[in-house]
Amino acid sequence: MRDQELRDRRGAAERLARGALATLIGAAMLGVAGAAAAQPTTPEVDRGAEPSEPAPSQRDLIEEFRSGAQTDAAEEIEEEPAPKLSPEEALEQAYADLKSEEEPIWRAAEEKVTKSWSQSGSDSMDLLLERGRTAMQREDWAAATEHLTDLVNLAPAFAEGWNMRASAYFHQEETGAALADLANAIALEPRHFSAYSGLGVLFEQIGDPRRALAAHREALAIHPNLENSLNAVRRLAPTADGRPI
């Protein structure tokens, strides 16, 4: 797209240059003809006058115009802003920025990534997700589970539906169901660091620190600045395997 825009701009600049050049040539020709008609056959020369600079020739004027037009066109092209990233490219950049050591950068990236998880592509599915979240904010876990079950049944390929229902199950102490939903979420979105972190929480809760540690490390491989997983690894590593983060 950017290449086509540049070609269009170059074409417009060239058309402008040709039009102005034709006007300049016509004016120059008229000026030359008029000057020739008005010029005396044997002009008197003022011997005491300083010699004046010769007037630019028609060729000089044309070349000067061409040079200026090309320079203007080049400057216009150079000032063209960088092309915007596509949504897919922007998301990939956000995942890369999660690894930044600068907090404002990785926090902004985290927000972009988590926001992308909530976009199913369907307004009705997004509404079910929002209803599930609203019920969870009220701690109405049964209602949340109902809304989110409708969501995963209607949109089984939407990873965030499974992830959020796992959270609702977790608060109802339905550990097996929560584990199964998190596994589905990760299968659909392998970079879902929140789902990996949730697995870590569940494994630790059921007394499996080694698996909990492994799950949190998977989360950190995607998002090295994820605070709850960082804290969990620091807590679990000394006794689970003795390895650092």
Side-chain angles (χ1 to χ4, degrees):
M1 179 63 72
R2 184 168 181 266
D3 290 342
Q4 183 60 48
E5 290 177 357
L6 288 176
R7 285 194 293 271
D8 291 344
R9 292 176 76 101
R10 289 192 183 102
E14 290 170 359
R15 288 192 296 273
L16 177 63
R18 285 196 299 269
L21 184 58
T23 301
L24 180 63
I25 291 172
M29 291 179 67
L30 287 174
V32 170
Q39 183 70 23
T41 306
T42 56
E44 294 184 3
V45 178
D46 185 355
R47 300 294 183 180
E50 291 292 331
S52 60
E53 289 293 329
S57 67
Q58 178 181 334
R59 182 181 298 276
D60 291 338
L61 291 172
I62 293 171
E63 289 302 322
E64 182 179 348
F65 179 82
R66 281 178 174 166
S67 176
Q70 290 171 356
T71 300
D72 291 343
E75 290 176 353
E76 188 174 9
I77 292 169
E78 288 173 2
E79 293 174 0
E80 183 76 14
K84 292 184 179 180
L85 296 177
S86 69
E88 294 78 11
E89 291 169 334
L91 182 57
E92 289 303 313
Q93 183 61 56
Y95 273 108
D97 287 344
L98 290 173
K99 297 177 170 61
S100 174
E101 295 181 359
E102 299 182 30
E103 184 172 348
I105 293 177
W106 68 255
R107 285 205 181 275
E110 182 181 74
E111 183 178 353
K112 289 178 184 177
V113 169
T114 54
K115 183 178 180 180
S116 75
W117 291 341
S118 299
Q119 296 168 346
S120 69
S122 164
D123 291 342
S124 56
M125 297 303 102
D126 291 351
L127 179 59
L128 281 173
L129 179 65
E130 184 60 32
R131 286 175 176 172
R133 285 175 169 166
T134 300
M136 291 175 71
Q137 290 170 358
R138 298 196 308 266
E139 298 187 0
D140 188 347
W141 310 117
T145 302
E146 182 179 353
H147 291 308
L148 295 168
T149 296
D150 288 342
L151 175 57
V152 298
N153 287 338
L154 292 169
F158 182 37
E160 191 62 9
W162 298 99
N163 181 58
M164 292 304 300
R165 193 175 71 165
S167 182
Y169 280 144
F170 170 79
H171 285 93
Q172 296 172 87
E173 299 183 355
E174 296 187 37
T175 304
L179 285 170
D181 278 5
L182 288 174
N184 280 325
I186 291 169
L188 291 165
E189 176 46 80
R191 294 185 292 184
H192 203 307
F193 50 80
S194 290
Y196 276 116
S197 184
L199 274 179
V201 171
L202 285 173
F203 281 131
E204 186 174 7
Q205 186 181 58
I206 63 177
D208 194 338
R210 292 182 68 86
R211 287 187 180 179
L213 185 58
H216 283 298
R217 282 184 173 141
E218 289 291 340
L220 292 175
I222 304 162
H223 185 354
N225 298 293
L226 189 61
E227 292 167 313
N228 59 324
S229 285
L230 280 170
N231 293 333
V233 170
R234 293 189 183 103
R235 182 178 64 254
L236 293 167
T239 57
D241 65 4
R243 289 166 48 204
I245 293 176

